Amino acid sequence: MAECGGGIAHRLASRRCCVFKELSFIDRRRTRNNFRNVSMIPPFKKHLFGTRWRSLGVSYRILSMDAREKSTSTVLESSKHKRVPVFVVMPIDTFGADASGSLRIKRLKALTVSLKALKLAGVHGIAVEVWWGIVERFAPLEYNWRLYEDLFRLISESGLKLHVALYFHSNVHQHRKWGVSLPLWIAEIGKSNKDIYYQDKSGLSNADYLTLGVDRLPLFNGRTALQCYEDFIVNFANKFEPYIGSIIEEISVGLGPSGELRYPAHPLGDGRWQFPGIGEFQCYDKYMMEDLRIAACQVGKPEWGDRGPQNAGCYNSLPPGVPFFEDGQESFISDYGRFFLVREWYSGKLICHADAILAKAANALKKYQQTVETSVLLVAKIGGIYWWYQTISHPAELTAGYYNTALRDGYDPLASMLSRHGAALHIPCLEMMDNETPPSYLCSPEGLLQQICKISNKRIHLIGRNANERLDKTGLRQILANCNHPQAEAVRSFTYFRMNEKIFSVENWNNFVPFVRKMSSDY
């Protein structure tokens, strides 16, 4: 599992850049009550929020959710229990090139010993990232699974189970030394048509993931992007059928950058964005813009289809003074703002994108769901966008595609969609605490986690993960508490991010082993 945007951002925030320390216009300490959001806002009056910018206060009345978005999901049987199996993610540099240039498993003997040690410590399984850019690298429909056959066999022989993440993104910008690009034949298409990638308002492309605007366009040697994803998933299922439901217990399907269902609104590696910037909307490739024009005409407002919000700041803007994220004309709560953000477009397109991919994945895995003995869990991953969470507009979430504000629950429609496919939600930030985040940025990883737990309760399973590497007792204790939250269903499993030499140092190992054993047993 690649790093989530929230986790990397938190590490950047720890630098405490002095330019942000003088944010005198924001109260230093805020608390977010256990409100939950609404999908529609009544006609607003002047000065709806009292001041043009403030964090969420305790006096706001939360209205009921729009009937269109009330969940029709099947209620799950209670999974309240204490045992939470732990998976550990493989090292980022698991594979390396040999003298001939062919990829192979690096440090095979050391890896074998590490796997056996994790098994003895009580770890349930290993999470393996299966990259589109490795398997279908050179030509369309030419799949080479050799590396993963060897790796899966090694893990299985160590007595460990598997969580497999099928990834359709690149992580080159995050890990230039060990990064995996998109398939080379996809990159060749991108050289002549940069609109297959997401673009910001300046026309800069993000080549880490195909824009959802090409989901249904046959631009890839006669196939659509959705067909490419489906063919990969089906080929994987056929190749590893003996493992699925026995060794392979969970299959995560990548839905965007870092494998997460979101837009690349906070790009890393090229200097455009720094924490705690609000990010930028990513809808300026020609295919998404054409879709926006059609949507605007359908609501009788063709002038809304020329471009995205022009008053939404830039990557590193802070919310105060950015009109789109305040109250007023053409803000996020205006008629235009709701048109752009609401489920029919920016955030809605994202959910439709996940819906289409997960439908194909669920169909490919349907035959493995017939009995409990062979059942495999389908998983979808989201990012942890927790900065500016204690504000009215939640601007960083909006640009990432989560239409979640103090006045609207943006994760409920997502949970409803996942429930239709029997998919679990992979959530980050289980190690994070509000009091460890910079107070000036109105962060609340705990509030975000609590919200998601509430809307998922008894509808979908949750799988947890950490956003930052934590091996100290405090961080591990926080994970344990969040995995067994008294007001929510226990998470089905936890994915520790990730295996490296630090985990095996004496002090860290002495913290990690008791943590795993507490997670993996009833108590």
Side-chain angles (χ1 to χ4, degrees):
M1 299 237 152
E3 285 89 338
C4 76
I8 296 175
H10 183 59
R11 289 196 294 276
L12 290 171
S14 66
R15 299 175 185 174
R16 307 270 183 156
C17 182
C18 63
V19 69
F20 298 124
K21 287 186 176 179
E22 302 302 324
L23 299 180
S24 59
F25 47 78
I26 302 176
D27 292 341
R28 301 297 292 178
R29 299 297 299 169
R30 303 280 188 177
T31 57
R32 185 183 183 92
N33 271 18
N34 295 332
F35 290 135
R36 226 23 288 145
N37 308 325
V38 298
S39 59
M40 297 297 289
I41 302 169
F44 28 67
K45 302 174 183 179
K46 189 175 181 181
H47 305 307
L48 172 66
F49 298 145
T51 59
R52 292 190 60 78
W53 181 259
R54 58 177 294 178
S55 65
L56 181 63
V58 299
S59 60
Y60 291 107
R61 181 183 179 189
I62 304 303
L63 307 179
S64 62
M65 181 160 300
D66 190 318
R68 293 181 310 160
E69 297 182 1
K70 286 182 179 177
S71 171
T72 57
S73 308
T74 303
V75 175
L76 296 173
E77 292 184 9
S78 176
S79 62
K80 197 74 171 181
H81 59 82
K82 293 294 184 181
R83 185 176 180 273
V84 180
V86 175
F87 291 82
V88 177
V89 185
M90 287 293 289
I92 188 65
D93 60 338
T94 298
F95 302 130
D98 60 20
S100 66
S102 299
L103 290 177
R104 58 176 176 78
I105 300 174
K106 294 173 61 178
R107 301 182 296 274
L108 184 58
K109 290 183 179 179
L111 179 59
T112 302
V113 172
S114 297
L115 292 174
K116 290 180 178 178
L118 291 173
K119 174 63 177 177
L120 288 172
V123 167
H124 181 75
I126 301 297
V128 176
E129 297 152 323
V130 175
W131 297 92
W132 187 25
I134 289 179
V135 176
E136 197 181 354
R137 184 167 185 77
F138 297 106
L141 296 172
E142 292 186 8
Y143 305 103
N144 184 346
W145 298 102
R146 178 185 57 81
L147 282 171
Y148 293 104
E149 288 180 282
D150 294 343
L151 184 58
F152 289 2
R153 187 181 307 113
L154 178 64
I155 293 169
S156 175
E157 289 173 352
S158 299
L160 294 158
K161 302 297 184 179
L162 277 164
H163 172 119
V164 175
L166 304 179
Y167 276 166
F168 300 104
H169 69 279
S170 164
N171 68 346
V172 170
H173 286 131
Q174 295 179 20
H175 306 285
R176 296 187 184 279
K177 187 176 180 180
W178 300 298
V180 180
S181 69
L182 291 179
L184 298 180
W185 59 275
I186 290 285
E188 283 299 313
I189 296 172
K191 287 180 181 178
S192 58
N193 182 8
K194 69 175 184 178
D195 288 285
I196 67 171
Y197 306 121
Y198 287 115
Q199 290 182 26
D200 63 20
K201 63 185 178 184
S202 300
L204 296 175
S205 298
N206 187 306
D208 287 346
Y209 189 79
L210 298 177
T211 169
L212 58 79
V214 301
D215 276 358
R216 302 183 185 277
L217 299 178
L219 302 176
F220 307 99
N221 294 84
R223 291 188 295 165
T224 67
L226 287 178
Q227 287 172 329
C228 291
Y229 306 145
E230 180 181 22
D231 290 340
F232 188 90
I233 295 167
V234 170
N235 197 270
F236 167 83
N238 291 336
K239 183 67 178 180
F240 295 103
E241 182 171 6
Y243 284 87
I244 297 177
S246 55
I247 303 302
I248 299 175
E249 295 185 342
E250 300 174 352
I251 297 178
S252 174
V253 179
L255 301 170
S258 295
E260 299 166 351
L261 178 62
R262 61 176 174 85
Y263 293 99
H266 311 94
L268 288 167
D270 60 8
R272 277 185 284 172
W273 172 81
Q274 295 289 327
F275 182 90
I278 60 177
E280 287 190 14
F281 292 109
Q282 307 287 312
C283 59
Y284 291 90
D285 61 86
K286 66 182 180 183
Y287 304 112
M288 287 196 71
M289 289 306 299
E290 177 59 26
D291 191 271
L292 179 60
R293 283 189 284 271
I294 293 172
C297 289
Q298 288 175 341
V299 298
K301 294 284 188 178
E303 66 275 15
W304 286 354
D306 293 337
R307 56 187 182 270
Q310 297 300 290
N311 59 348
C314 59
Y315 284 110
N316 295 311
S317 295
L318 304 182
V322 179
F324 189 76
F325 301 113
E326 297 184 323
D327 59 313
Q329 294 183 349
E330 297 190 1
S331 73
F332 76 103
I333 52 174
S334 67
D335 289 342
Y336 167 75
R338 282 182 286 173
F339 157 76
F340 180 80
L341 293 170
V342 86
R343 59 188 301 180
E344 283 80 4
W345 213 72
Y346 195 73
S347 68
K349 298 293 290 184
L350 201 62
I351 292 178
C352 288
H353 171 70
D355 193 19
I357 296 176
L358 292 175
K360 295 181 181 301
N363 185 61
L365 299 173
K366 182 168 55 178
K367 66 179 179 180
Y368 305 104
Q369 309 292 341
Q370 303 304 316
T371 66
V372 175
E373 290 77 14
T374 62
S375 180
V376 62
L377 184 65
L378 180 62
V379 180
K381 183 180 178 184
I382 62 170
I385 313 299
Y386 59 85
W387 54 104
W388 306 116
Y389 184 85
Q390 297 186 69
T391 65
I392 297 295
S393 61
H394 296 215
E397 288 174 274
L398 294 185
T399 57
Y402 306 132
Y403 187 12
N404 187 57
T405 71
L407 302 169
R408 183 186 188 276
D409 192 325
Y411 297 102
D412 186 77
L414 173 61
S416 297
M417 181 272 295
L418 294 177
S419 181
R420 291 197 299 273
H421 302 298
L425 181 60
H426 204 170
I427 56 174
C429 303
L430 267 68
E431 85 291 1
M432 296 182 68
M433 290 170 272
D434 287 3
N435 62 13
E436 293 182 337
T437 62
S440 297
Y441 310 148
L442 297 177
C443 305
S444 186
E446 293 182 71
L448 175 62
L449 181 62
Q450 183 180 27
Q451 177 188 352
I452 294 173
C453 286
K454 283 186 176 182
I455 60 97
S456 66
N457 205 8
K458 295 191 177 182
R459 278 196 287 162
I460 58 174
H461 291 299
L462 293 179
I463 290 177
R465 72 182 189 272
N466 52 310
N468 304 298
E469 184 181 88
R470 292 291 294 267
L471 289 162
D472 59 288
K473 291 182 180 179
T474 300
L476 295 175
R477 190 161 47 243
Q478 180 74 356
I479 293 172
L480 185 63
N482 280 327
C483 284
N484 293 284
H485 197 283
Q487 296 179 346
E489 296 295 300
V491 300
R492 173 153 173 161
S493 66
F494 179 80
T495 306
Y496 183 82
F497 186 85
R498 67 174 65 229
M499 188 197 310
N500 55 37
E501 67 280 358
K502 294 179 184 178
I503 203 171
F504 298 106
S505 69
V506 174
E507 181 179 358
N508 291 336
W509 188 249
N510 288 340
N511 292 337
F512 186 70
V513 173
F515 159 75
V516 170
R517 291 179 177 170
K518 286 181 180 178
M519 291 276 280
S520 302
S521 61
D522 297 318
Y523 71 96

